[in-house]
Amino acid sequence: MDRSWQIFVLYILIHLGLIFFLYPRDIIVSAGEGHWVEILLNYGIHLLAIAVYMKGLGYSGDKDIVGLFFRAGKPVAFLILVPLALYLSVTVVLVVRILAEVVIVVFLSKTPIWALAALFLAVSGYIASKGLETLLRTGILLSFFCLPVILFIFAVSFQNVDWRYMFPLRNDFSFVSDMHYWQSLHPVAAGFSFLGFVKPHSTFKKSRIYLASALLFPFFFFAVYIPLLTFGQATSSTFDFPYSVALDSIYYSWLVFDKVTIFFLFGLANFTMLYVAVSLWQPVRIVHRWFPAFKPVYILLALLAAAFVSCLCIPDWRTVQNIFAWNAFLRFYVLILLPLSTLLLGLRFRAKVPA
């Protein structure tokens, strides 16, 4: 069944849940000027990765990537799918912990980490347990309730910008040696893998995904430039969450509420939990293929328990950043190897299918 528009909406929402937190800081810190070069390079990598990935998926017939890699043999499946499952599992822990930190900093200062982590994992786990249909329907539901709020607040966030802070535009590409830049690839690498898991029950048109990517570009760009244009490079580089701080400076006398940050973060929290649900659903599919005797719900419960304990074992924000940096190695593995291997095995699969 063609579910192009539902997958289109889900693709946009899970990326919005990733863009506005650590991504602006990593881009701002990695270079002193000319940040547009980094953003364009990231976006180019994003387009290249999904183009190669979807090309390979198009050659795989009615198989998802789990079936495609198992067709090539268990060693190949292990080489590709285990790092993907590990990367997504670690990402779940990091995203939940980062989201909990943001919520505590902004409006729930007395709430313990364990309570927020339990809440986020429980909601995401429940959505993931219901499968792809529920994920897609939840995306549509959230788009109606939360997306208009996000777009409105995004529009009014230009209130305090000073366009002179955009200059100078030059960049000497020294950022490629900075680890913060490579960490900024997280929104690029973390959101596209689910496209390989929707078959055989659902299909989508590649043009919808390209359209979704084009609509995401302004958010990639202004998530970085709104803090820069509001505070300047020197000040914005000192914030852990520059975009949230920029929103905190907004005031409109005609708005009923003094602070719009709470509503913005509430919408993003919903999108982020949706991303966590998608990220939980994929490893469950992989593990269930390896161990079909275990029911998916038991695999999911084990994964949720491990994620919750891992969240509690992270002592402070510095440790979160260190794990996020370490996870960059798995991120490169998935970003490069997953699309390329999908294309190569897709071509091999097509060559063996009789005309």
Side-chain angles (χ1 to χ4, degrees):
M1 181 181 295
D2 190 310
R3 299 191 180 275
S4 298
W5 286 113
Q6 290 176 303
I7 294 173
F8 164 86
V9 171
L10 182 62
Y11 189 87
I12 288 179
L13 296 189
I14 63 177
H15 280 85
L16 289 179
L18 298 172
I19 290 172
F20 290 98
F21 291 131
L22 292 184
Y23 173 75
R25 180 181 183 273
D26 287 329
I27 292 291
I28 291 170
V29 170
S30 61
E33 56 191 30
H35 303 85
W36 62 273
V37 177
E38 299 169 83
I39 298 168
L40 284 178
L41 182 58
N42 278 7
Y43 187 70
I45 294 172
H46 173 75
L47 286 180
L48 180 61
I50 63 172
V52 174
Y53 190 50
M54 290 193 295
K55 192 73 171 178
L57 293 175
Y59 293 144
S60 64
D62 62 350
K63 294 183 178 295
D64 63 3
I65 62 168
V66 180
L68 180 65
F69 290 132
F70 266 85
R71 180 183 172 86
K74 288 188 176 181
V76 175
F78 184 89
L79 182 65
I80 306 299
L81 295 178
V82 170
L84 174 61
L86 180 59
Y87 170 68
L88 292 170
S89 301
V90 174
T91 300
V92 164
V93 176
L94 290 173
V95 169
V96 168
R97 183 56 191 264
I98 291 169
L99 181 59
E101 293 277 358
V102 174
V103 170
I104 287 173
V105 167
V106 175
F107 53 89
L108 291 178
S109 59
K110 295 184 179 180
T111 306
I113 287 285
W114 67 265
L116 291 174
L119 174 63
F120 297 148
L121 286 171
V123 173
S124 299
Y126 177 77
I127 298 172
S129 68
K130 298 301 180 180
L132 180 62
E133 290 285 339
T134 300
L135 289 169
L136 295 176
R137 290 172 182 171
T138 303
I140 295 297
L141 185 65
L142 289 178
S143 69
F144 279 112
F145 287 100
C146 298
L147 195 54
V149 177
I150 295 293
L151 294 176
F152 170 75
I153 297 174
F154 181 74
V156 302
S157 64
F158 289 85
Q159 182 194 40
N160 297 324
V161 302
D162 184 344
W163 293 99
R164 290 173 296 181
Y165 281 132
M166 183 175 286
F167 301 98
L169 296 175
R170 64 181 183 277
N171 194 304
D172 58 5
F173 290 91
S174 60
F175 62 84
V176 296
S177 62
D178 193 302
M179 190 60 186
H180 285 286
Y181 169 71
W182 298 111
Q183 290 176 199
S184 73
L185 289 172
H186 172 62
V188 173
F192 71 88
S193 61
F194 85 95
L195 297 174
F197 289 83
V198 301
K199 292 181 179 181
H201 305 294
S202 302
T203 59
F204 61 91
K205 296 177 181 178
K206 291 189 287 185
S207 60
R208 300 289 192 273
I209 304 302
Y210 289 125
L211 176 59
S213 299
L215 294 176
L216 285 171
F217 178 73
F219 296 99
F220 277 106
F221 189 84
F222 287 112
V224 174
Y225 268 96
I226 285 175
L228 280 173
L229 298 176
T230 302
F231 303 110
Q233 165 69 24
T235 302
S236 58
S237 63
T238 63
F239 302 136
D240 286 327
F241 306 107
Y243 193 86
S244 298
V245 178
L247 287 183
D248 228 17
S249 67
I250 296 173
Y251 174 74
Y252 277 91
S253 58
W254 48 271
L255 284 177
V256 176
F257 304 99
D258 290 336
K259 298 293 184 180
V260 297
T261 312
I262 293 177
F263 297 96
F264 187 79
L265 290 180
F266 177 78
L268 287 186
N270 284 292
F271 296 165
T272 304
M273 285 190 287
L274 182 61
Y275 168 74
V276 172
V278 173
S279 298
L280 288 168
W281 172 66
Q282 295 172 73
V284 169
R285 290 275 301 273
I286 294 171
V287 175
H288 181 62
R289 181 61 185 264
W290 280 100
F291 304 101
F294 294 103
K295 293 183 177 180
V297 66
Y298 296 145
I299 300 171
L300 178 60
L301 288 174
L303 187 57
L304 287 170
F308 180 68
V309 172
S310 299
C311 285
L312 299 186
C313 290
I314 299 175
D316 51 33
W317 180 246
R318 182 176 293 275
T319 305
V320 173
Q321 292 177 313
N322 290 337
I323 298 174
F324 194 76
W326 169 81
N327 200 36
F329 296 103
L330 281 174
R331 190 176 307 129
F332 296 143
Y333 193 86
V334 171
L335 183 60
I336 297 172
L337 195 60
L338 180 63
L340 287 177
S341 58
T342 303
L343 177 61
L344 293 175
L345 291 178
L347 289 170
R348 179 187 175 190
F349 177 81
R350 187 183 69 164
K352 290 186 176 181
V353 174

